Amino acid sequence: MSRKSTFPLAVLIDGDGFHPAGWLHPAAVTGQAGKIDRMIEMARVAEAAKIDLFFVADTPAARTDQLDIWRRWPKFMNVLEPMTLLARLAGETSHIGLGATVSTSFFEPYNIARQFASLDHISNGRAAWNVVTSSNDYAPRNFGLDRLPPHNERYEKARESVEIVKAYWDSWEDDAFIYDRQQSSSFDPAKQHPVDFKGKYFTVHGALNQARPPQGHPVIIQAGASGDGKELAAETADVVFSAAGDLEASRAFYSDLKGRMARYGRDPSELKVLASLRCSIGKTRQEAVDKYHLLQSLIHPDVGIKMLSEQLGVDLAGLPLDEPIPPGVIPQTTNREKGFFERLRALILAHPTKTLREIYQLYDYGTAPICGTPTEIADLLEEWIDTGAGDGFMLLFNTLPSDLNDFVELVVPELQRRGRTRTEYTGQTLRDRLGLKHRANPHPSRTRDKMVS
Ligand SMILES: Cc1cc2nc3c(=O)[nH]c(=O)nc-3n(C[C@H](O)[C@H](O)[C@H](O)COP(=O)(O)O)c2cc1C
């Protein structure tokens, strides 16, 4: 009998919990995202459960207007800078992968390449970079821009950025640094391959001032759901966080994305799709549903309206809460997160009689929630994998740390018992654990002596 394979699990930790009202839940510990001891504790909990990847989402900005509303939804308002945080977590853990978001719209490729290469060295091959183009107008203002550049330009720039970052990671061969005292030669000059890039957005020449990362390339993650996002992922990503919503849509996303890879000479197995899911776990299904509904009911009306306004890219403030949203105010498209926009737009159009309040209470911000007992959730995760909706999961938690603790205490052992998730860490690096190959340096190997003779 063929044995079903194990699948990887990643956790997204954003301190206050992913749900807009997560921090208001009585079980939440507030302000965790800014506290190193709390982040270490959660990383250790995840590592004890043999989770593959501890991931920190980010945007490089605080909100600076409408603070009377944002104070009720403190997303990204008090967080540790992800790369410094992960460097510390690297020292506090030994196997779990460490991933963070850094935006190609604002950070120079050299800085990105250097930081992730360093993290890969510091963690012995556990680093992962989530490539995003950003989706709010607060971040650009910290970098000399009034607003986000158009969506297609952001992706064009991201494509250049990823190409340059990878080229920096290849700017030395793996065995370039030799420290041969007898020959008075610390590195082999023939093993440097400087980046020489002239593009629309970047012009760079240079090499990293450190040895090649242990993984060759730190793992590259992408989570865009637009056509441009999927195309970039098909060409360059090792991991994609999908957030298509339900099982059917996730299957369609999965096969669409994998189908695009052949154009770039890539095999579908070279990219792992981690389906984003939020679990509400209860002793009974009803208890889990009630838990989720409690959170939805805790969404303050100001936050509900803000959440919909942000995702639609139009300000709904001032519309009556207990009347339907007039279809005329819903735009056809957005310059922001296209995948999330399409899902919300479809929801509103499918429920023309629901009021604004009902829509925000119905809307699942970010990803589909699954409510159930540990057994039901384990069944569902298996179904998603076995029917082609993902290669593994990116788990988000409404309330932290309680939902993370519930997941690792109740669902992980069930999945382990069924032989579907790991019980021990294997391999040396995050790439090994995700079933991804070490990235060989594409430059033909050279040595100085052979060049000279
Ligand atoms: C699990 C998950 C995590 C994400 N983390 C971040 C993040 O940390 N920062 C960010 O700006 N966007 C983040 N995103 C958003 C995506 O990277 C992407 O920008 C968004 O889906 C819009 O891309 P699109 O217009 O191609 O759909 C995340 C998305 C998902 C599904």
Side-chain angles (χ1 to χ4, degrees):
M1 198 176 73
S2 74
R3 213 175 124 74
K4 287 185 171 169
S5 58
T6 58
F7 50 80
L9 296 176
V11 293
L12 186 148
I13 301 297
D14 53 353
D16 290 314
F18 189 78
H19 193 280
W23 72 284
L24 295 172
H25 192 278
V29 178
T30 52
Q32 291 189 112
K35 293 194 184 120
I36 187 62
D37 291 347
R38 298 299 314 145
M39 297 303 281
I40 292 171
E41 178 63 27
M42 287 190 276
R44 287 187 177 150
V45 163
E47 185 163 74
K50 312 292 185 283
I51 299 293
D52 291 280
L53 175 67
F54 185 93
F55 172 75
V56 186
D58 191 54
T59 195
R63 324 308 184 167
T64 48
D65 55 16
Q66 301 186 306
L67 296 184
D68 269 351
I69 298 174
W70 287 117
R71 75 197 159 117
R72 305 187 193 283
W73 183 17
K75 194 174 170 63
F76 296 132
M77 292 302 270
N78 175 21
V79 297
L80 294 169
E81 188 285 313
M83 299 307 291
T84 7
L85 166 63
L86 293 188
R88 174 74 189 273
L89 295 183
E92 301 287 345
T93 56
S94 51
H95 291 87
I96 195 165
L98 299 168
T101 294
V102 176
S103 174
T104 53
S105 295
F106 311 117
F107 297 96
E108 292 293 317
Y110 176 80
N111 298 119
I112 298 174
R114 188 181 193 197
Q115 286 183 310
F116 281 95
S118 268
L119 181 65
D120 210 41
H121 282 290
I122 292 169
S123 65
N124 295 319
R126 295 188 280 140
W129 170 35
N130 182 30
V131 180
V132 303
T133 69
S134 295
S135 57
N136 65 69
D137 284 331
Y138 299 103
R141 293 180 205 140
N142 284 329
F143 299 89
L145 298 169
D146 287 342
R147 61 174 60 91
L148 279 179
H151 191 268
N152 65 321
E153 280 182 27
R154 299 203 305 274
Y155 271 110
E156 269 178 12
K157 189 174 179 185
R159 176 166 274 104
E160 284 192 12
S161 175
V162 172
E163 187 179 336
I164 298 168
V165 168
K166 287 182 169 184
Y168 275 120
W169 288 336
D170 294 331
S171 61
W172 293 96
E173 292 180 32
D174 296 75
D175 54 354
F177 288 89
I178 44 182
Y179 297 101
D180 183 337
R181 286 182 178 151
Q182 292 199 328
Q183 300 292 324
S184 185
S185 183
S186 61
F187 59 84
D188 184 336
K191 290 183 184 290
Q192 190 194 67
H193 302 272
V195 183
D196 213 345
F197 186 96
K198 274 195 183 53
K200 184 168 163 191
Y201 300 92
F202 301 105
T203 295
V204 302
H205 176 89
L208 273 196
N209 46 344
Q210 65 185 293
R212 195 155 189 266
Q215 297 186 95
H217 292 180
V219 171
I220 293 198
I221 306 170
Q222 227 261 311
S226 60
D228 286 340
K230 283 188 274 197
E231 214 53 41
L232 178 67
E235 186 179 355
T236 64
D238 300 304
V239 166
V240 163
F241 298 154
S242 70
D246 59 21
L247 180 58
E248 273 314 307
S250 296
R251 272 193 212 135
F253 179 91
Y254 184 93
S255 55
D256 175 11
L257 182 60
K258 297 242 174 177
R260 293 172 189 244
M261 294 175 70
R263 274 205 274 288
Y264 304 102
R266 300 183 73 202
D267 186 86
S269 64
E270 291 173 49
L271 189 161
K272 307 295 174 192
V273 176
L274 303 187
S276 307
L277 286 182
R278 282 187 289 162
C279 303
S280 180
I281 307 168
K283 282 198 250 5
T284 62
R285 189 173 159 66
Q286 194 54 47
E287 185 183 300
V289 171
D290 291 347
K291 204 164 139 184
Y292 184 66
H293 284 162
L294 169 66
L295 277 171
Q296 292 291 92
S297 74
L298 288 174
I299 300 176
H300 191 282
D302 288 355
V303 173
I305 294 168
K306 190 75 191 155
M307 177 173 76
L308 301 190
S309 302
E310 289 280 305
Q311 305 255 271
L312 288 175
V314 288
D315 194 357
L316 304 182
L319 289 181
L321 259 179
D322 294 308
E323 286 177 29
I325 303 170
V329 306
I330 306 163
Q332 299 294 323
T333 185
T334 181
N335 187 33
R336 304 175 49 128
E337 297 163 309
K338 288 209 192 293
F340 297 142
F341 168 81
E342 300 294 353
R343 206 146 59 76
L344 175 56
R345 186 168 185 276
L347 177 83
I348 298 170
L349 296 179
H351 297 94
T353 58
K354 292 242 185 267
T355 65
L356 174 51
R357 189 195 304 271
E358 286 167 337
I359 290 286
Y360 79 67
Q361 292 194 340
L362 197 62
Y363 177 56
D364 303 316
Y365 172 71
T367 58
I370 24 172
C371 301
T373 63
T375 313
E376 285 170 337
I377 288 178
D379 289 347
L380 201 122
L381 296 189
E382 285 202 85
E383 185 189 1
W384 277 53
I385 297 299
D386 297 339
T387 61
D391 297 307
F393 294 97
M394 157 47 78
L395 299 156
L396 290 86
F397 301 102
N398 290 320
T399 302
L400 284 166
S402 56
D403 283 359
L404 167 68
N405 293 340
D406 283 356
F407 190 86
V408 302
E409 281 165 24
L410 303 171
V411 182
V412 171
E414 179 63 24
L415 291 170
Q416 289 173 330
R417 198 183 56 72
R418 299 180 187 193
R420 299 311 302 267
T421 52
R422 64 170 66 257
T423 52
E424 291 303 330
Y425 286 113
T426 50
Q428 299 299 312
T429 66
L430 177 59
R431 279 186 178 277
D432 295 339
R433 293 181 194 119
L434 294 176
L436 298 164
K437 289 200 185 101
H438 172 89
R439 280 286 169 151
N441 196 312
H443 299 290
S445 181
R446 309 184 299 209
T447 65
R448 180 176 180 278
D449 292 345
K450 287 209 179 98
M451 286 172 76
V452 169
S453 59

